[in-house]
Amino acid sequence: MTSAAVSQRDVRRSASLRLFAVCAAVVLLALSACQTRVERNVLPEITFRHKPPLQVGVAQIEVVQAYRPPMAGPHVDHLLQVTPADVARNWARDRLAAAGSSGKVVYTIADASVVQEPLETDDSLLGTFKVEQAVRYNSRLEVEVSLQRSDGSWARAVVEATRSLTVAEDASLNERERAIHGMIEKLGRDFDAELEPTLRRVFGSYIAG
């Protein structure tokens, strides 16, 4: 075998190895891209543990979840990590304490929705150079609290709170989730600020502390 033939075979082998290396690199890059995941926010629970519980002169506090998420658009509360319903349940857990020997409180979550509303944006050529608010989120929390008195009669209080938020069209999923969580946190503060004085006024001497 001549040295020229050996040289040509070595050249072909070297070229084949280079081609294999390039193909392997492309495959590894594609696999790496497929395995890349956007890490989702882990958002904190919204609680009211920092505030003292209301001592209610009843033997039992019953929480009723009357609101059922529609599980379809335009409602989006079923997609959230922390929902208005979570906030309402946490309020009852953290802020109501049974301190009596008879009677009960029925705490009914009537509405705990978050609804998505698309906003009009500029579809013209000029609009492509703008960053506009593209969607509004409307949240609503409504709770009815009923107290059974010692004579069997009932006192009732209804409180609702609402909050809205607009989000820009270029917001990422994580930015959108953080913004909605902040809105729900403010909704909870509004709800707490309204419900406590309302219960004190309606239930009177049945609340101590």
Side-chain angles (χ1 to χ4, degrees):
M1 182 178 297
T2 66
S3 60
V6 172
S7 177
Q8 289 176 0
R9 186 174 63 185
D10 288 344
V11 168
R12 287 196 299 270
R13 180 182 299 167
S14 177
S16 298
L17 289 174
R18 286 197 299 270
L19 179 61
F20 175 79
V22 170
C23 291
V26 170
V27 170
L28 288 174
L29 183 60
L31 288 174
S32 175
C34 290
Q35 292 172 355
T36 301
R37 295 290 183 271
V38 176
E39 292 191 7
R40 193 179 181 190
N41 290 316
V42 178
L43 300 171
E45 182 184 20
I46 298 171
T47 73
F48 303 88
R49 297 190 185 102
H50 60 289
K51 303 193 74 173
L54 304 175
Q55 305 295 322
V56 189
V58 294
Q60 179 188 358
I61 294 174
E62 178 184 353
V63 177
V64 177
Q65 177 78 47
Y67 173 75
R68 294 288 181 266
M71 307 297 286
H75 288 77
V76 295
D77 38 285
H78 61 287
L79 302 175
L80 305 177
Q81 292 183 50
V82 180
T83 69
D86 296 329
V87 172
R89 285 191 297 270
N90 290 348
W91 196 94
R93 179 197 66 195
D94 298 338
R95 302 238 49 210
L96 294 178
S101 57
S102 64
K104 69 176 180 178
V105 160
V106 180
Y107 178 98
T108 303
I109 303 170
D111 190 6
S113 58
V114 180
V115 177
Q116 178 177 277
E117 176 189 350
L119 300 176
E120 287 189 10
T121 56
D122 186 353
D123 294 330
S124 69
L125 179 61
L126 184 62
T128 61
F129 299 98
K130 301 177 184 177
V131 177
E132 299 181 273
Q133 299 299 298
V135 62
R136 176 182 290 112
Y137 293 96
N138 301 309
S139 60
R140 184 173 184 270
L141 187 54
E142 180 183 334
V143 167
E144 178 182 299
V145 188
S146 302
L147 182 146
Q148 185 183 40
R149 302 187 183 95
S150 55
D151 62 2
S153 63
W154 290 83
R156 288 182 173 84
V158 178
V159 164
E160 71 172 79
T162 60
R163 277 276 178 173
S164 294
L165 166 78
T166 60
V167 176
E169 57 188 341
D170 65 343
S172 68
L173 174 61
N174 280 342
E175 290 170 338
R176 193 171 298 228
E177 285 190 331
R178 285 195 297 269
I180 295 173
H181 184 271
M183 174 187 69
I184 294 174
E185 189 172 23
K186 292 175 183 175
L187 178 74
R189 288 203 297 265
D190 295 345
F191 177 72
D192 177 61
E194 180 69 21
L195 186 51
E196 178 177 351
T198 298
L199 295 185
R200 290 186 181 279
R201 183 180 71 253
V202 174
F203 297 162
S205 60
Y206 277 87
I207 292 184

